[in-house]
Amino acid sequence: MSSPADFPLPAKAATRNPHALSLPSPWIVRWSHLVRQHGTVLDVACGQGRHMQWFAQHNHSVTGVDRAPHAIAFAEEYGRTVCADIENGPWPFAHEQFDAVVVANYLWRPLLPTLLHSLAPGGVLIYETFAQGNETVGKPSRPDFLLRPGELLTVCAGLHVVGYEQGFLDSPARFVQRIAAVKPPELPEGAAPVRYML
């Protein structure tokens, strides 16, 4: 498995945007092999596109959505970008489904069913964000932005959960909850179940 360091930033991004040097989440990298080869990936609250970059460099077609125009301006180097307020406006991908939906450090509970609906059959949700307990070590600290114990497992009850973790991480200190879960594929009658490599 390649590591984030194996894929340096394009020279254009490195020279114009020092913040783009952020590496992708190790959790998202770990489960990225579950995405169908050359599949479509939606990065929700993509920021400046660190995960868009990772998937684009692995030959995926990537789309990022964020409400910050200055962030989208950098992310558009890696694929299609949409500037939209997904908390107060319509979901911009109502008629689309993706082979992967990726979320890092973002939580808007009313959107969770929409994210699951945005998965194509066989698609994977790779989600990581802050969890309860984080209020003891820093921001975010509001309950609205912190997952409750086991909450992602409840959200993904209809999916095949491949990986799940909940707990404390350091460097920086934070409490997180994260999941990798696959939407059941549409199989012909009598077909063998899909096996997922860990």
Side-chain angles (χ1 to χ4, degrees):
M1 183 69 179
S2 53
S3 71
D6 296 330
F7 295 89
L9 280 165
K12 179 180 175 185
T15 57
R16 71 176 178 160
N17 179 22
H19 299 294
L21 297 174
S22 298
L23 295 176
S25 156
W27 180 257
I28 290 174
V29 170
R30 176 181 174 183
W31 298 108
S32 61
H33 70 280
L34 294 175
V35 184
R36 179 178 66 83
Q37 188 175 13
H38 305 294
T40 56
V41 177
L42 174 64
D43 186 356
V44 178
C46 65
Q48 296 182 356
R50 62 184 176 133
H51 295 115
M52 289 179 65
Q53 179 200 6
W54 169 261
F55 284 101
Q57 289 174 330
H58 286 77
N59 301 311
H60 294 290
S61 175
V62 294
T63 298
V65 60
D66 201 285
R67 68 179 181 182
H70 63 280
I72 286 290
F74 294 116
E76 65 186 9
E77 180 167 345
Y78 309 117
R80 176 175 64 138
T81 56
V82 176
C83 188
D85 183 351
I86 55 177
E87 296 179 10
N88 298 299
W91 179 241
F93 311 106
H95 303 293
E96 295 183 63
Q97 288 189 314
F98 300 86
D99 297 305
V101 174
V102 174
V103 187
N105 300 335
Y106 176 76
L107 177 62
W108 180 246
R109 287 183 172 89
L111 192 64
L112 292 172
T114 300
L115 298 183
L116 298 185
H117 181 73
S118 296
L119 284 174
V124 58
L125 174 70
I126 311 176
Y127 203 125
E128 175 182 35
T129 196
F130 300 98
Q132 283 184 3
N134 202 69
E135 70 280 0
T136 66
V137 296
K139 301 287 186 178
S141 58
R142 289 176 45 194
D144 287 350
F145 303 131
L146 303 177
L147 287 164
R148 297 181 289 269
E151 186 170 358
L152 285 179
L153 288 173
T154 301
V155 169
C156 295
L159 306 183
H160 177 79
V161 176
V162 181
Y164 174 80
E165 292 181 354
Q166 176 178 298
F168 177 77
L169 298 174
D170 54 13
S171 300
R174 65 206 187 277
F175 285 81
V176 301
Q177 192 175 139
R178 47 200 190 180
I179 200 164
V182 179
K183 185 174 183 177
E186 295 175 348
L187 298 174
E189 187 173 343
V194 177
R195 296 182 181 181
Y196 302 102
M197 293 183 62
L198 304 180

